[in-house]
Amino acid sequence: MTDDDIGTGVDTLADTVAETHDVLSKRLAEAGACRPTRDRPRDRVRATDPFLASTSRHVAAVNAVLGPAARRHLPDGRQRAHELVHQSRLLEAALFQTKSKLYGSTFAVRRPWTSVWDEVTAEFDAWWRLERALVDDIAAAAPADERERLAERLFHAEQHVPTRPHPYLPHQGVPGRVARQVAMRVDRFWDTAEGRMVPEPVHPHRSREGRLTQYLLADPHVDPPAPDEG
C-alpha cells in the first residue's frame, strides 16, 4: 500500500467489492424474507431474481478479473485461483437450486425454502470470506493504480458475463472466457424473452465519502467495451 493510500484511506478495489457485498447481502435478506400471498403470488420471484442475477454475474466477473490478478500478483496465486473456482461452483450450485425451486422444478419442488436459503447463505458467506481475503492480499501486493484498474475491469466485466448460475461450465482461462461469452448470450436471450430486469453492478468510487449504492437497472442492449481479462 502506498503513502497516498495511507493518507486518503482510499482503496478503490476493496471499497467496490465491499459495497457490492453489502448490496448482495441486502438482496439476499430481502429474498429470504419474502412471503408471497394469494393476491401477490409472484412477490418471491420479484424479490429473488435480482439477487440471483447480480450474484451470478459478480461471481463470474470475479473469476474473469481477480482470478488472473491473483496469479499475477500472489506467490500462491495459482492455488488461490483454484480455490476461487471451487467455491464459485459451490455457490452457483446453491443458486441453481434456488432458481429451480423458484420456477417449480420437479427436482426441487419438495425441498423447503428454509433449506434452500440456509445453503445459499452458507455458500455466500464462504464465498465472501474467500473474496475478501483475496482482495486484501492483492491490495498488499499491487500498486494503487493497478487496483483502480482492477475495480474498473470488474465493473465492466459484470456487464459482459452470464446473469444465471452455471456451476458446471469452465470458470477461468481461455475455456472460461469462451464459456462466459456463450452463456451470456443465451442468458440475455432468455432475460429479454422473460422481461427479466437485471440490476446494474456497483460502480467503482474513488472516495469513501458519499458512496451511493446503485440500484439502477441495466439496459441489456447497451454494451460498454469488453474487459481484457489478462
Side-chain angles (χ1 to χ4, degrees):
M1 185 171 290
T2 67
D3 292 339
D4 289 342
D5 294 329
I6 295 172
T8 62
V10 174
D11 188 322
T12 307
L13 177 61
D15 280 2
T16 301
V17 169
E19 187 173 348
T20 298
H21 175 259
D22 291 344
V23 172
L24 298 181
S25 295
K26 181 175 181 179
R27 289 177 182 152
L28 172 57
E30 290 172 348
C34 183
R35 299 292 184 271
T37 65
R38 184 186 300 272
D39 295 333
R40 302 173 66 90
R42 290 188 56 81
D43 275 5
R44 178 169 277 137
V45 173
R46 283 189 287 266
T48 304
D49 248 348
F51 168 73
L52 292 177
S54 51
T55 303
S56 298
R57 187 178 54 192
H58 182 65
V59 170
V62 167
N63 276 277
V65 176
L66 297 188
R71 293 174 184 268
R72 287 196 304 271
H73 293 290
L74 304 180
D76 59 346
R78 183 177 295 274
Q79 177 61 32
R80 301 287 288 279
H82 284 308
E83 292 172 357
L84 184 67
V85 170
H86 176 70
Q87 185 55 43
S88 297
R89 292 188 190 279
L90 294 177
L91 176 54
E92 287 171 325
L95 296 177
F96 186 83
Q97 285 291 311
T98 307
K99 180 177 177 293
S100 298
K101 173 75 173 176
L102 187 67
Y103 287 95
S105 168
T106 56
F107 297 103
V109 68
R110 295 183 181 276
R111 187 177 180 186
W113 271 110
T114 53
S115 171
V116 171
W117 289 124
D118 285 349
E119 181 181 355
V120 170
T121 300
E123 300 301 347
F124 178 80
D125 290 345
W127 162 268
W128 167 236
R129 289 191 296 270
L130 190 153
E131 181 182 14
R132 180 176 56 186
L134 188 63
V135 168
D136 287 346
D137 289 347
I138 290 174
D145 58 344
E146 170 68 6
R147 300 198 303 273
E148 188 166 306
R149 284 194 295 270
L150 287 172
E152 290 289 345
R153 288 174 59 194
L154 194 63
F155 169 71
H156 290 301
E158 288 203 34
Q159 300 178 24
H160 291 271
V161 291
T163 57
R164 299 165 191 245
H166 298 281
Y168 305 114
L169 293 181
H171 281 61
Q172 293 184 5
V174 174
R177 186 181 310 156
V178 173
R180 281 190 295 273
Q181 289 299 308
V182 173
M184 177 196 69
R185 292 185 176 93
V186 174
D187 288 355
R188 281 189 173 176
F189 170 83
W190 286 111
D191 288 346
T192 301
E194 296 171 358
R196 188 176 187 233
M197 305 302 287
V198 179
E200 185 174 342
V202 170
H203 196 288
H205 300 289
R206 293 177 181 269
S207 171
R208 296 176 191 266
E209 298 297 323
R211 297 190 313 178
L212 297 177
T213 300
Q214 299 185 12
Y215 289 98
L216 300 177
L217 297 177
D219 182 347
H221 304 292
V222 179
D223 299 335
D228 178 11
E229 294 182 357

